[in-house]
Amino acid sequence: MPSVSLKNPTVDELKALFPLTLPVPTPEAVPDLITPQDFYREENLLRNPQSFQAWWSAIHTTRESCTAQIKLESADIPESAVTLLGPLATPLARISLQRLTYLYESALVHFPNSFKLWKSYLIMRMSFVLGRQIIKKRSGGRKKFPEMKDALVDEREDLEQWEGGLNGIIGWEEWRSLVATFERALMWLPNLPRLWLMYLSIFFHPTCPSVISYTHARHTFDRALRTLPPSLHARIWVRYLLWAESRGGSTLVAIYRRYISVDPSVTENFTHLLLHPIDGKARPLEAAKLLLSLARKAAKGEYQSPEGKSPYQLLEDWIDVVEKFSDEVGLDVDDTVQSNAEAAQAEAKDIEDKVDTGPASVDGKLVRIAGPAVSLDADGKLLPPYDEDTDFQSPRKLNIEQIIHKDGFSVYKDQAGRLWTGLATYWIKRGEFDRAKETFEKGLASVLTIRDFTQIFDAYAEFGESLISAMMESLADEEDEEEAAETEKELDTKMKEFEELMDRRPFLINSVLIRRNPNDVQEWEKLVALHGEDDEKVAETYTKALETISPRKATANLHRLYVNFAKFYEEGGTTGQAEPDLDSARKILEKGTKVNFKAVEDLAEIWCEWAELEIRHDNYDEAIRVMQRAAAIPKNTRINYHDNYLSVQTRLFKSLKLWSFYVDLEESIGTVETTKMVYDKILDLRIANAQIIVNYAAFLEENKYYEESFKVYDRGVDLFTFPISFEIWNIYLAKFVKRYGGAKLERARDLFEQALEKCPPKSCKPIFLMYAKLEEEYGLAKRAMSIYERATQVVADEERFEMFTIYIAKATANYGLPATRPIYERALEVLPDRHTAEMCLRFAALERKLGEIDRARAIYAHASQFCDPRVNPQFWSEWNAFEYETGSEDTFREMLRIKRSVQAQFNTEASYIAAQTMAAQQGTRQVSDNTVEEAPDAMAAAEREVGNVPSFVAAKQTGLHPMPVSDATSTSAVAPANADEIHISDDEEL
């Protein structure tokens, strides 16, 4: 090795330092290779040349010694030399490399198949050439068999990185020697992937010579794939693809094409690399064809995106590429038109070829029909036919319109807005503004949702605004007057078109909604309203609507279209300036009467409107004839009105709406006989409701046909049951009593009995009262009382108390107070508990008026069991007042005892809560000023409630004044006055 000064070295001087390991260093060629300290080692190796342990120990010892010496060496070497030479910048490092190389090569002579020895040797050589490897810290483990997408991400993070390294130009010979060493190792151990991966890692080094890192690297990757078994190819391919990404250009394309032919999972990554290359030369046509192929395969279920993209998202990525690189990807207008025509001819030819022109077999043998050639893959599966649109190697550009129609509109109908805007944007980017405008118009005329319409319309408006803005800017910069005038004229045209577009927006929205549902009556009516006073457009819209709408699928109020269309002609157009055309109106209504509407009421409305039209023009006879036609009764009247399988015309004669209008018309302009005839038909058809019965009877009554009106009421109560017949009975009975009074009393009684026979308890009270009133005014009081008696037994429980009250009042008026006692007694037996207390109070008041004090007291005692003192304080206050005025000490004590026992009876948790709630609602709850502790038992609590009543009365008292009792612990304390004390004069006997 020549001696070179590294103070100010030149390139040639640095190159003169190499090669160090080629040829392999020997003691004869390198004098300093073996030192006196190494003699013992050499003698030991000469004695034991086949001992791997001896060689390994010698190598290990020498390597550690060299490493320690290199760390301790302090040489004054320029920074430039360190940068170029890397780990071999010092003489000691260079001689250490030669010594270690000599030892490893000597050992490999005896152990050429040792993987351990080769791996250690190669790592040592790489450390001197590539520099110090940076060890990365990694959290967590790696998948054993990851997908290629994930493997690329993980491998990109785990790629080896080095610090320093030998310059590829200065140390070219040493780099070549390292490559030669790897080649020798792989010659002995070709099937070990670890050696291949170590070899391939040097091609990623930033200072690797280009001769090695390009062509030689590609050949090495290919040799690795040919040598290793297929199960290990994934480990090579992930490095191969990363290396291709780092090189870019045609190398990247060729390598990725090879890989996606067997594994298309990285195609999306490939398209990204094609569109964003490191050399700046994008390949959009190839990327677009790849994305189109992926979108079609995903739509068929043959491909699943590793990034989780749906088939539509892949197609949207393709549209983004088409929009961005419109000139490089798609055909121009003329070529597109020609391609569309060719595609239409081919489709027509295919349809003709599919027509059966002969037998399928002759003499039992199938006849082969001409068709495209069929190709099979290696597994015998049918391959798809060749498609130049997805062949990324074909230079032919794409027919964007045809592809979007085929793969977009026919598959993703809910994304029509994005597809139309994408196609229009493609033409805008190519500068084909007329074609873009045509595309926008087609989109607006074909979408079915407001979302898609809004998307297209907004893009269309934005395109118009940007075009006008660009023309205004060019007009401002224009210097030629003729061109400026032409530009200004064109600008005026564009602005006019833009204004028309804005004015058309409501019509376009309406057309979208009508296309989505052609049977939407309300949207057709809105379209008529949009046309305003344009009579020609209004008539055209009505005509088109009636031709388009399917009656059985139409939304509500289809009949209003016929009615409004007829009124349009009747009123002389929307403005009324034209001549009224009644004949056209009648023809429209006549046509409407033949439509099979969803509901019979819609058809009835058509006939009623027709009759009203005739009435408005004073054609009364014609109106009657129209209703006679509508209400014609067929021979078979046993038709179910609600049978939707029958046409509405068949069921029309049972439409109450139609008959109601007809009878109103007869009442207004017909005779009494014709009106009666119509009413009778309604009753015969059994379609009348209670209102019809009442109207018919009222009509007869107005015309003095009283008996016939009562017959109508009879028919009505026969037709209907309660509760509907209740209203008819009320009117019937009131009218009859008013008409005859007591003249036909027995007949009236029969009517009331008929009404009460089937009347439910909740409805019979008014009838009983009316019946009793009849007997009071025209009959016997005894019968009236018996009716009240019946009423108290029949009416509902909630009305029984009121009925008893009326009964008692009537009995008092007719027979006096004593006669009410049995009524009160029976009331107490049958009334519910909540009404018993009130009735007892009234009964007691009655007995008190009659002077029966003991009977009144007994009634109070009976009623007390239903009255909680906390809930019904009014009852106890009245009883207290009664005893105060009429009772004695014993009776007062008995009242208090009963009160305490009743309160104890009600003093449960549930009843207490109920009592508090009811008292709060009624506002009767009273809170004592002095709060005392809860009594240990119910009786003590009852005593507190009644106000600390004394437990005895002093014997020396001459009156019934309770004496306060002193407390045992405080004799001087004066007890508070008793609020419930009874004052009895001294003259009364105790």
Side-chain angles (χ1 to χ4, degrees):
M1 180 179 66
S3 177
V4 177
S5 174
L6 295 179
K7 295 295 183 180
N8 294 300
T10 62
V11 174
D12 293 335
E13 290 176 343
L14 293 177
K15 285 183 178 181
L17 296 175
F18 304 100
L20 298 175
T21 57
L22 188 68
V24 177
T26 59
E28 294 82 5
V30 182
D32 297 335
L33 194 63
I34 298 177
T35 62
Q37 292 81 6
D38 300 331
F39 289 162
Y40 176 76
R41 180 198 68 195
E42 293 295 325
E43 291 176 359
N44 185 36
L45 294 176
L46 287 174
R47 293 192 198 100
N48 303 293
Q50 300 301 322
S51 175
F52 182 82
Q53 186 63 36
W55 285 101
W56 187 255
S57 299
I59 291 171
H60 184 69
T61 303
T62 304
R63 186 172 59 198
E64 288 186 349
S65 175
C66 292
T67 302
Q69 292 177 12
I70 292 173
K71 288 181 179 180
L72 295 174
E73 183 184 21
S74 59
D76 186 13
I77 301 175
E79 186 67 25
S80 58
V82 174
T83 303
L84 294 174
L85 299 180
L88 298 176
T90 63
L92 182 57
R94 292 191 289 272
I95 193 62
S96 297
L97 172 62
Q98 290 178 323
R99 289 171 179 172
L100 290 172
T101 301
Y102 164 70
L103 275 178
Y104 274 110
E105 291 289 349
S106 301
L108 288 171
V109 171
H110 300 283
F111 306 101
N113 293 318
S114 174
F115 169 72
K116 182 177 180 180
L117 194 59
W118 274 113
K119 180 181 178 183
S120 178
Y121 182 29
L122 293 173
I123 290 175
M124 182 274 296
R125 292 287 298 270
M126 291 171 65
S127 66
F128 281 99
V129 177
L130 275 66
R132 185 177 67 85
Q133 184 176 354
I134 300 174
I135 306 299
K136 299 179 181 178
K137 293 183 179 180
R138 182 181 178 87
S139 60
R142 297 179 59 176
K143 293 182 180 179
K144 191 173 183 180
F145 300 107
E147 296 290 337
M148 182 54 70
K149 174 181 175 295
D150 300 330
L152 286 172
V153 175
D154 295 340
E155 195 66 28
R156 190 177 286 109
E157 296 177 356
D158 295 341
L159 275 178
E160 295 87 349
Q161 294 183 3
W162 294 270
E163 192 177 43
L166 180 62
N167 183 270
I169 298 175
I170 302 298
W172 156 246
E173 295 293 340
E174 200 58 40
W175 277 95
R176 191 161 65 92
S177 175
L178 176 61
V179 171
T181 305
F182 269 106
E183 294 290 345
R184 285 193 297 121
L186 293 173
M187 181 184 67
W188 288 102
L189 303 171
N191 294 322
L192 294 181
R194 184 70 258 170
L195 295 181
W196 282 105
L197 293 175
M198 291 172 61
Y199 189 12
L200 300 176
S201 66
I202 70 174
F203 303 139
F204 292 89
H205 197 282
T207 62
C208 182
S210 58
V211 177
I212 298 174
S213 62
Y214 278 85
T215 304
H216 177 75
R218 179 165 53 80
H219 291 168
T220 304
F221 277 110
D222 292 340
R223 281 195 298 122
L225 292 172
R226 289 195 298 268
T227 304
L228 293 175
S231 60
L232 298 173
H233 282 189
R235 301 178 67 181
I236 303 300
W237 269 115
V238 66
R239 292 292 185 106
Y240 203 179
L241 295 178
L242 290 177
W243 176 80
E245 291 178 14
S246 65
R247 295 300 175 260
S250 59
T251 303
L252 167 71
V253 175
I255 293 171
Y256 259 95
R257 282 179 179 177
R258 284 176 56 193
Y259 184 74
I260 63 175
S261 63
V262 294
D263 182 12
S265 63
V266 297
T267 307
E268 294 177 49
N269 186 42
F270 182 32
T271 57
H272 178 76
L273 295 173
L274 290 175
L275 296 174
H276 306 86
I278 58 175
D279 57 359
K281 296 179 181 179
R283 295 171 176 254
L285 180 59
E286 185 171 349
K289 290 188 174 184
L290 286 171
L291 285 173
L292 180 61
S293 174
L294 293 182
R296 289 178 175 177
K297 290 180 180 178
K300 298 176 183 178
E302 299 174 0
Y303 173 78
Q304 188 173 3
S305 172
E307 299 180 5
K309 292 183 178 180
S310 64
Y312 171 71
Q313 287 176 318
L314 292 172
L315 183 65
E316 195 171 18
D317 292 343
W318 174 80
I319 294 176
D320 293 338
V321 174
V322 169
E323 291 177 350
K324 187 175 181 181
F325 304 96
S326 56
D327 293 330
E328 294 88 344
V329 173
L331 301 174
D332 58 15
V333 175
D334 296 335
D335 293 338
T336 299
V337 173
Q338 182 179 355
S339 178
N340 291 340
E342 294 174 356
Q345 293 177 0
E347 186 176 357
K349 185 178 181 182
D350 290 341
I351 295 175
E352 293 177 0
D353 293 341
K354 290 180 181 179
V355 178
D356 189 8
T357 57
S361 63
V362 177
D363 296 333
K365 296 182 180 180
L366 294 175
V367 177
R368 176 175 175 81
I369 305 299
V374 177
S375 56
L376 304 175
D377 60 7
D379 298 332
K381 295 181 180 179
L382 184 65
L383 291 175
Y386 174 74
D387 187 358
E388 196 171 2
D389 288 343
T390 57
D391 183 7
F392 53 83
Q393 297 182 1
S394 172
R396 187 175 74 88
K397 294 183 179 181
L398 301 175
N399 185 344
I400 306 301
E401 280 190 357
Q402 184 177 347
I403 293 173
I404 287 182
H405 280 82
K406 177 182 177 181
D407 299 293
F409 298 129
S410 61
V411 180
Y412 310 106
K413 301 182 185 300
D414 58 334
Q415 301 294 335
R418 174 67 182 93
L419 297 173
W420 281 112
T421 54
L423 181 58
T425 305
Y426 162 74
W427 290 119
I428 293 172
K429 290 293 183 68
R430 292 188 66 95
E432 303 289 346
F433 299 142
D434 293 337
R435 191 74 173 183
K437 180 182 177 182
E438 182 182 347
T439 302
F440 279 125
E441 292 291 343
K442 286 182 179 179
L444 293 175
S446 62
V447 293
L448 301 176
T449 63
I450 295 298
R451 178 176 64 87
D452 293 336
F453 168 81
T454 304
Q455 197 171 1
I456 297 174
F457 188 86
D458 292 346
Y460 195 2
E462 185 179 355
F463 162 65
E465 290 176 354
S466 61
L467 188 61
I468 291 173
S469 299
M471 294 180 69
M472 292 178 69
E473 292 177 0
S474 63
L475 183 62
D477 300 335
E478 191 67 52
E479 296 181 356
D480 190 350
E481 293 183 358
E482 293 183 359
E483 293 184 359
E486 185 178 352
T487 303
E488 187 174 356
K489 183 178 180 181
E490 185 178 358
L491 178 60
D492 293 339
T493 304
K494 295 298 180 183
M495 293 185 69
K496 184 178 180 181
E497 292 177 354
F498 184 76
E499 291 175 358
E500 291 177 352
L501 175 64
M502 293 296 106
D503 294 338
R504 286 166 51 209
R505 192 175 195 278
F507 293 90
L508 294 172
I509 293 177
N510 183 267
S511 65
V512 170
L513 297 174
I514 290 178
R515 280 196 302 272
R516 184 176 64 181
N517 183 11
N519 302 305
D520 193 338
V521 176
Q522 287 71 30
E523 293 303 325
W524 285 105
E525 291 178 345
K526 290 179 183 177
L527 181 58
V528 171
L530 287 174
H531 287 304
E533 299 180 355
D534 190 344
D535 291 346
E536 183 178 352
K537 288 290 184 182
V538 169
E540 181 182 347
T541 303
Y542 273 124
T543 305
K544 186 177 180 181
L546 298 180
E547 292 174 353
T548 304
I549 296 175
S550 173
R552 304 300 293 179
K553 298 179 181 179
T555 58
N557 297 326
L558 172 60
H559 64 283
R560 297 304 307 172
L561 280 180
Y562 288 93
V563 173
N564 294 336
F565 195 12
K567 285 185 178 180
F568 170 77
Y569 281 110
E570 179 191 358
E571 296 171 357
T574 55
T575 59
Q577 297 178 358
E579 187 71 22
D581 189 354
L582 295 181
D583 292 336
S584 297
R586 292 189 182 101
K587 289 180 182 179
I588 293 169
L589 292 173
E590 179 73 31
K591 183 179 179 181
T593 60
K594 298 176 182 179
V595 176
N596 188 16
F597 294 101
K598 281 184 178 181
V600 179
E601 301 303 318
D602 296 343
L603 180 59
E605 184 73 18
I606 295 286
W607 284 105
C608 296
E609 289 290 341
W610 191 353
E612 287 185 358
L613 179 143
E614 301 296 347
I615 293 172
R616 285 194 294 269
H617 295 84
D618 301 331
N619 299 326
Y620 301 115
D621 294 338
E622 185 64 27
I624 294 294
R625 282 193 290 271
V626 168
M627 295 311 300
Q628 287 174 347
R629 283 182 57 194
I633 300 176
K635 294 181 180 180
N636 180 19
T637 59
R638 301 181 63 182
I639 292 176
N640 186 2
Y641 176 77
H642 300 287
D643 187 358
N644 292 325
Y645 292 101
L646 299 175
S647 65
V648 292
Q649 284 77 11
T650 306
R651 297 176 283 154
L652 177 63
F653 73 96
K654 283 197 173 184
S655 172
L656 183 59
K657 183 176 183 179
L658 180 72
W659 284 103
S660 298
F661 182 85
Y662 187 13
V663 78
D664 289 342
L665 186 61
E666 289 288 355
E667 286 188 22
S668 302
I669 61 178
T671 63
V672 174
E673 294 302 322
T674 57
T675 305
K676 288 171 60 178
M677 189 183 303
V678 175
Y679 271 120
D680 289 336
K681 287 182 180 180
I682 295 175
L683 295 178
D684 292 340
L685 291 173
R686 303 183 68 85
I687 61 174
N689 56 16
Q691 188 63 49
I692 293 291
I693 300 296
V694 174
N695 292 345
Y696 189 11
F699 170 75
L700 293 173
E701 185 180 357
E702 289 175 3
N703 291 278
K704 311 301 181 182
Y705 294 93
Y706 298 106
E707 282 301 326
E708 291 189 22
S709 70
F710 294 145
K711 290 179 181 180
V712 171
Y713 283 123
D714 286 332
R715 294 182 68 179
V717 296
D718 290 338
L719 284 174
F720 301 102
T721 59
F722 286 92
I724 298 176
S725 63
F726 171 74
E727 300 298 336
I728 301 177
W729 275 115
N730 264 343
I731 301 173
Y732 183 14
L733 295 173
K735 295 286 186 180
F736 190 87
V737 172
K738 181 180 178 182
R739 171 66 181 167
Y740 293 111
K744 296 184 178 183
L745 187 58
E746 290 301 324
R747 183 179 172 186
R749 287 171 178 168
D750 290 340
L751 291 176
F752 276 107
E753 292 298 335
Q754 290 178 25
L756 292 172
E757 183 178 357
K758 297 180 180 180
C759 185
K762 63 179 181 180
S763 304
C764 65
K765 178 187 170 184
I767 300 178
F768 272 116
L769 294 177
M770 195 184 305
Y771 191 7
K773 185 178 180 182
L774 172 69
E775 292 292 347
E776 288 177 10
E777 293 179 355
Y778 305 107
L780 302 175
K782 183 178 179 181
R783 292 184 63 89
M785 292 300 104
S786 64
I787 293 171
Y788 284 121
E789 177 69 20
R790 285 175 57 192
T792 58
Q793 299 172 4
V794 176
V795 297
D797 291 342
E798 56 269 16
E799 296 178 342
R800 190 163 293 169
F801 178 82
E802 186 180 355
M803 200 69 231
F804 268 110
T805 303
I806 298 172
Y807 184 16
I808 291 169
K810 294 296 182 179
T812 303
N814 290 326
Y815 302 113
L817 289 176
T820 60
R821 278 178 176 161
I823 302 175
Y824 275 112
E825 291 172 358
R826 200 170 65 79
L828 296 181
E829 294 175 0
V830 299
L831 285 177
D833 293 348
R834 63 180 183 275
H835 294 148
T836 301
E838 179 65 23
M839 189 60 69
C840 284
L841 289 176
R842 296 184 182 184
F843 193 8
L846 169 66
E847 294 294 350
R848 189 174 178 183
K849 288 181 181 178
L850 296 176
E852 298 290 343
I853 303 301
D854 292 336
R855 288 177 62 86
R857 184 175 290 108
I859 295 170
Y860 278 120
H862 173 73
S864 63
Q865 60 183 320
F866 308 110
C867 301
D868 186 351
R870 293 164 298 185
V871 179
N872 297 314
Q874 181 65 26
F875 170 80
W876 293 98
S877 63
E878 288 191 17
W879 192 3
N880 185 78
F882 170 76
E883 294 294 346
Y884 182 79
E885 296 174 1
T886 64
S888 63
E889 181 178 353
D890 293 334
T891 58
F892 189 80
R893 285 175 179 276
E894 183 65 18
M895 184 269 292
L896 295 180
R897 185 191 66 78
I898 293 173
K899 184 175 184 181
R900 287 195 297 269
S901 63
V902 170
Q903 190 164 5
Q905 177 186 353
F906 284 99
N907 192 22
T908 60
E909 182 179 357
S911 65
Y912 179 76
I913 294 174
Q916 295 296 324
T917 304
M918 294 180 65
Q921 291 175 352
Q922 298 173 3
T924 59
R925 183 179 178 184
Q926 298 179 357
V927 180
S928 177
D929 295 335
N930 300 323
T931 304
V932 295
E933 292 184 355
E934 184 180 356
D937 56 13
M939 292 301 293
E943 290 183 10
R944 279 207 315 274
E945 290 290 335
V946 300
N948 296 326
V949 177
S951 58
F952 66 93
V953 179
K956 63 181 181 179
Q957 285 289 99
T958 57
L960 291 180
H961 299 283
M963 295 294 293
V965 181
S966 301
D967 196 322
T969 58
S970 178
T971 58
S972 61
V974 178
N978 183 10
D980 298 327
E981 67 177 348
I982 300 175
H983 298 277
I984 300 178
S985 64
D986 296 336
D987 297 333
E988 295 183 3
E989 294 182 358
L990 296 176

